[in-house]
Amino acid sequence: MVNRALESWVEESARRCKPDKVVWCDGSDEEWGRLTSEAVAAGELIPLNPKLHPNSFLHRSAPNDVARTEHLTYINTRSKDDSGPTNNWRDPKQAYEQVGRLFEGAMKGRTMYVVPFVMGPLGSPFSKVGVEITDSRYVALNMRIMTRMGKPALDPLGDSDDFTRGLHSCGDLKEEHRAICHFPEDNTIWSVGSGYGGNALLGKKCLALRIASFLARGEGWLAEHMLIVGIQSPEGKITYIAAAFPSACGKTNLAMLVPPASQKGWRVWTVGDDIAWMRIGPDGRLWAVNPEAGFFGVAPGTSSKSNPNALATTGMNTIFTNVLLKPDGTVWWEGLDGAPPEGGTDWRGRPWTPGSKEKGAHPNSRFTAPAVQCPCISPEWENPNGVPISAILFGGRRARVAPLVVESFDWAHGVFLGATVASETTAAATGAVGVVRRDPMAMLPFCGYHMADYFGHWLEMGKRIKSSPRIFHVNWFRQDSSGKFLWPGFGENLRVLRWVLDRVNGRGEARETPIGFVPTPNALDLTGLDLSPSAMETLLAVDREAWRGELPSQAEFFAKFGERLPAAMKAQYTGLESRLNHG
Ligand code: GTP
Ligand code: SPV
Ligand code: MN
């Protein structure tokens, strides 16, 4: 079927970008074979050892293009106010003009790929169709793994013009010629100057979070930077939770958690590792789908000990980006099992030995792998109706202050816990690493509209959900005075999840503190865990002084929003202040 709206937009884009040819992607295996062969011939992909990594490839990006560039990412609403104080903004007319110039002739000598895709399970009322026009084979191939790409998208689209238009070109890959622009009011994304995941795979952060959060507010649902996981008890009951942690703060790991030996009979099922779209179902509960079809996961730190399921997922049909290449055609990164290899080629293509000063893999090196290959993928992961969510976790990377886990008093207080998440920055975005910043709901870089309105939307959703999920805050990253993590994390996080489930089920002991309910010393099952009582005490402590010290930075953050901050959020802040000072 001919879709006139789509065809005329492709023609218009081709007139602007002037590619040598236009290729419509169908998402077939034949196409994958052709594009990967072309990419290998062009030096964009290196084939890995076909015995050990069948149908898998290494890609090395430009050294200045290895992470999201938040300072060059824009929400271009007609009114500046609507994008809010936490987003970069440009006037849409000006942005189309200025960024349009960067696209002018940008694809000369190159091929323009037209990549139709669906975000969400096929046939689901949650799902959205997008089309990305790109001059990057690497992007087209990644989109094949990360989305339902090609024919499966054109069929449901029919002749409708209701699709997100994403235009992408690598341009000259210079940061000074880079812009990742969102026009939520036009359902349009223009991204130029980067080939990196979050900047260039437009279905992911650009559509499924920034554009989707804008649509979700209008349509009464939630688009969140959250994993979705099912936790099966020894009795066989599966409870689903969603969790928002900032980039490179543990979503993929929690989504694929392997219970430690002491936790007999427990199992974990992965539904999603990065993004959740959540709607109120006919029963009044909150239901979630994973809009993605693959994982774009952090490689460093992934090992058979920390995340065996992720390793198994990457066993074949995987694209690795910016990892180290070993002479035998396999890959390596810091934190993978065993001793570092004798030698290899680092992420920049230079010879590397364990004695090298620089890392072999970039700290934000990644794997792109199909979700179906995950050994613990949930049988429900493509259920068009999603899975029912019983608890929501917010979390951050905090060396101090924030305890291992705290439960909110109610929904509005939970929204406050989410709104005040603070976390140390990571290598997932360019800029300094390890600096504490406010990252509300882990959505600071991904909210497509005014953050104060987003808080308001969360508060409104709470009023509409019947038996709303309980909201918690967790922190796996508390350190001792020598900088060592106090909590073992990874599989052991199940112990915290079990307390969360206990609370959901009206059990689980807790003490009330000014910041919320914290487990009593015996409420967590610590059998088989080698953890000193004093470490546990620190992990569950709520230090009034330290929390009073948080207040000015919370107040300063909220002050950014002025009168637009919902009164209920102000009330939560003054409530905390008075509990800390007088409680
Ligand atoms: P994005 O894909 O950027 O959104 O990240 P993510 O939230 O999925 O993060 P991921 O699970 O990939 O973890 C990032 C880093 O944190 C990896 O190096 C992990 O090894 C490490 N990590 C994950 N969970 C834990 C934990 O429980 N404790 C500790 N100490 N480190 C963890
Ligand atoms: C993140 O940075 O949160 C990621 C990787 O999940 S990216 O898709 O590049 O945004
Ligand atoms: Mn992410």
Side-chain angles (χ1 to χ4, degrees), residues 68 196-198 204-205 225 247 274 296 366 428 446:
R68 285 182 295 98
Y196 171 74
K204 194 171 175 54
K205 296 300 164 54
H225 193 201
S247 303
D274 197 48
F296 182 61
R366 301 238 167 199
F446 308 120

Side-chain angles (χ1 to χ4, degrees), residues 72-92:
L72 301 171
T73 301
Y74 302 85
I75 303 295
N76 300 328
T77 43
R78 279 189 287 276
S79 150
K80 181 174 194 305
D81 259 5
D82 290 341
S83 84
T86 58
N87 284 315
N88 302 308
W89 176 84
R90 282 192 197 177
D91 174 66

Side-chain angles (χ1 to χ4, degrees), residues 247-253 274 300 366 397 477 485 489-490 493:
S247 303
C249 289
K251 289 183 299 301
T252 302
N253 278 269
D274 197 48
R366 301 238 167 199
R397 195 181 268 272
F477 299 94
F485 290 121
F490 302 99
N493 293 333

Side-chain angles (χ1 to χ4, degrees), residues 280-353:
I280 300 172
D283 61 357
R285 290 192 292 168
L286 194 61
W287 291 72
V289 299
N290 168 14
E292 303 191 278
F295 308 126
F296 182 61
V298 176
T302 307
S303 70
S304 61
K305 197 159 164 263
S306 67
N307 196 346
N309 287 318
L311 268 195
T313 307
T314 61
M316 54 184 167
N317 311 319
T318 296
I319 300 175
F320 295 90
T321 301
N322 292 336
V323 298
L324 178 133
L325 179 65
K326 295 204 295 190
D328 66 353
T330 63
V331 291
W332 183 84
W333 47 78
E334 279 72 14
L336 187 60
D337 311 42
E342 302 269 293
T345 311
D346 78 2
W347 67 276
R348 298 178 71 160
R350 304 173 302 193
W352 184 92
T353 66

Side-chain angles (χ1 to χ4, degrees), residues 92-103:
K93 256 176 83 185
Q94 267 181 9
Y96 281 127
E97 240 175 69
Q98 290 170 354
V99 180
R101 262 178 252 136
L102 296 173
F103 278 111

Side-chain angles (χ1 to χ4, degrees), residues 121 148 228-232 238-241 255-256 267-273 288 290 295 309 313 371-383 386-388:
R148 283 99 179 157
I228 309 165
V229 68
I231 302 153
Q232 182 176 325
I238 302 180
T239 309
Y240 295 93
I241 67 171
M256 300 179 189
R267 279 193 83 156
V268 161
W269 299 101
T270 308
V271 179
D273 83 323
N290 168 14
F295 308 126
N309 287 318
T313 307
V372 283
Q373 292 179 191
C374 179
C376 57
I377 195 74
S378 164
E380 298 297 316
W381 89 281
E382 296 197 280
N383 188 328
V387 294

